Amino acid sequence: MTALPFPVAEEPDAFATETGRKLFAGPSEFVKGVVAMSGLPPADRVEVCFAGRSNVGKSSLINALTGTKGLARASNTPGRTQEINFFTQGPELYLVDLPGYGYANAPLKVVEKWQKLLKQYLSGRQTLRRAFVLIDARHGVKAVDDEIMKLLDTSAVTFQCVLTKADKVKAAERDKVLAQVRAALAKHPAAYPEIVLTSSEKGDGIATLRSIIAHLE
């Protein structure tokens, strides 16, 4: 029996879980929102970024990872936040919240400006170790997700797919979505060959994701 491409990440062992817990036990603080490359904080630590469609549950996931309610704020208006938001996680890590994409209401000039900044950030940030592309487990990969994945390919940034809201989908439906996601990821050379299933509400997959981040070098 051949192994599935892009398997679901297994739960970490006790040691890896503890390493992840320790990293995220430290204080989490908002540093700044960046609207231009000149505003980026010093590249003096490991950095991971989170990308996803508006309403994918990005803020909830960052809050669940850090155990800090309200650290990343979800906007009531999708696409309102046009900044790259930096958070410190202890002294060793930046968590970077990229603006939600796939919204229809933003003016074209705003979208173009954001896309330019995003391209510059992704291709020019030496300390960026991995991008996590969040996909809603109820919907799978959409065309706008594919666009961001292409951008990560061309920027040579390794990205890992994180399925959010996995608790909202029955097992049979989830298998269909996973098959669709695997087929989409297979087209992207920068895709890391493992998928993480999460639920911010139930806490599923949070220890796994913490452990993955803690073991990036």
Side-chain angles (χ1 to χ4, degrees):
M1 186 177 164
T2 53
L4 276 170
F6 300 100
V8 171
E10 292 180 6
E11 284 193 22
D13 61 27
F15 177 77
T17 300
E18 182 60 9
T19 307
R21 188 198 68 76
K22 276 184 183 165
L23 174 64
F24 282 90
S28 317
E29 290 176 6
F30 173 69
V31 181
K32 66 191 304 194
V34 174
V35 292
M37 287 294 282
S38 58
L40 291 177
D44 58 1
R45 65 194 75 194
V46 169
E47 207 164 290
V48 295
C49 69
F50 298 85
R53 285 199 309 272
S54 297
N55 292 340
V56 77
K58 192 153 47 68
S59 300
S60 301
L61 184 72
I62 291 170
N63 293 340
L65 273 174
T66 59
T68 311
K69 224 176 186 178
L71 181 71
R73 289 188 177 84
S75 170
N76 292 330
T77 309
R80 172 70 59 79
T81 310
Q82 291 303 308
E83 299 176 342
I84 297 177
N85 288 312
F86 279 76
F87 304 92
T88 52
Q89 178 54 54
E92 300 165 26
L93 179 68
Y94 276 132
L95 303 174
V96 184
D97 183 9
L98 301 179
Y101 54 82
Y103 42 87
N105 297 334
L108 193 60
K109 278 191 174 174
V110 171
V111 174
E112 283 173 356
K113 188 182 170 194
W114 173 76
Q115 284 175 336
K116 187 182 172 190
L117 175 61
L118 187 61
K119 282 176 187 170
Q120 288 173 329
Y121 166 71
L122 290 173
S123 56
R125 195 71 169 165
Q126 297 300 319
T127 43
L128 180 60
R129 291 290 176 269
R130 188 165 300 175
F132 292 99
V133 177
L134 278 49
I135 303 292
D136 191 319
R138 299 169 300 181
H139 307 305
V141 175
K142 297 199 170 180
V144 284
D145 300 313
D146 214 49
E147 287 302 311
I148 202 90
M149 291 176 190
K150 282 178 191 163
L151 180 54
L152 289 159
D153 288 338
T154 56
S155 304
V157 174
T158 301
F159 71 85
Q160 187 161 6
C161 178
V162 176
L163 289 189
T164 60
K165 309 182 186 183
D167 59 308
K168 310 274 191 225
V169 186
K170 293 190 170 127
E173 199 56 43
R174 192 166 65 205
D175 287 344
K176 276 188 206 166
V177 170
L178 276 169
Q180 188 260 1
V181 169
R182 286 179 175 124
L185 291 176
K187 300 170 190 166
H188 295 283
Y192 186 81
E194 195 177 63
I195 296 167
V196 187
L197 287 180
T198 66
S199 162
S200 300
E201 209 172 281
K202 309 266 191 205
D204 301 342
I206 298 302
T208 305
L209 195 49
R210 282 176 178 163
S211 172
I212 288 167
I213 293 169
H215 288 88
L216 294 172
E217 293 187 355

